[in-house]
Amino acid sequence: MTVYETERLIVREWTHDPADLDRMTDIYTRPEVLCWLPPFDFEAAPAVDGWHAFHERDRRFGSWAVEVRDTGVPAGTVLFRPIPGGDGEVEVGWHFHPDSWGNGYATEAARGAVERGFASGLEEVYALVKPGNDASMAVCRRLGMTSRGRTTRFFGLESEMFHLPRPS
């Protein structure tokens, strides 16, 4: 099911299709991706089920496949959700396969998620980036986000927190 579209991307729910499960596994078992994420155990099929259930509870939020329109291949995941352990702050985030880095997909997918969130009435959006992840910090800046400094408030890990208020 399509959640939203951008010029080059179709943002949709991940599925149990073997191609989706294989791509998810490839993304979420790569050291060059995992080094930027909080530690977690990943299994593709349960992740799909959990992400579907989360989206069904509140259709504004989810962790969705970012499919490249021209190829039909998922480049990665864009997430839009209340920050676990937060006080209602909503975060936008992205996890992309290294073969999709450097194409602007993260910025394009995240911008679509943020615009969708603002259209639903949200007043602000945050992003959490592990220190040293210069590429993701650049995405935040391209989205117009400003740094709020470092925090250890979420996930028990040090993160650079970025903020974007709803445009007036």
Side-chain angles (χ1 to χ4, degrees):
M1 176 180 103
T2 299
V3 178
Y4 64 93
E5 296 184 28
T6 68
E7 181 180 337
R8 300 179 301 156
L9 307 171
I10 298 168
V11 177
R12 60 169 177 80
E13 291 189 54
W14 284 102
T15 71
H16 285 282
D17 181 283
D20 268 11
L21 297 177
D22 288 347
R23 185 65 168 176
M24 287 176 73
T25 299
D26 192 19
I27 294 168
Y28 289 104
T29 58
R30 289 184 165 268
E32 64 266 45
V33 173
L34 293 176
C35 69
W36 303 116
L37 303 177
F40 67 100
D41 293 322
F42 180 79
E43 290 183 55
V48 168
D49 293 338
W51 291 349
H52 282 201
F54 185 76
H55 182 66
E56 288 303 315
R57 281 193 300 277
D58 188 330
R59 306 225 23 108
R60 295 176 299 169
F61 304 125
S63 294
W64 305 300
V66 178
E67 182 178 300
V68 178
R69 188 182 303 276
D70 289 345
T71 65
V73 174
T77 301
V78 64
L79 60 91
F80 196 75
R81 66 182 184 183
I83 302 173
D87 293 322
E89 301 94 339
V90 173
E91 85 171 306
V92 63
W94 45 88
H95 313 138
F96 281 78
H97 193 285
D99 68 12
S100 298
W101 293 354
N103 294 299
Y105 298 147
T107 303
E108 189 172 330
R111 182 171 286 120
V114 168
E115 288 171 356
R116 189 174 176 275
F118 287 153
S120 77
L122 290 176
E123 293 297 321
E124 59 188 0
V125 175
Y126 293 86
L128 297 169
V129 178
K130 193 169 182 181
N133 190 340
D134 295 335
S136 282
M137 289 187 207
V139 170
C140 292
R141 287 189 291 278
R142 283 192 293 274
L143 293 172
M145 299 181 113
T146 56
S147 176
R148 288 281 182 94
R150 291 200 178 169
T151 183
T152 56
R153 192 171 144 220
F154 308 101
F155 307 107
L157 300 172
E158 185 174 45
S159 298
E160 186 80 22
M161 187 171 207
F162 287 84
H163 176 254
L164 181 65
R166 181 182 179 154
S168 34

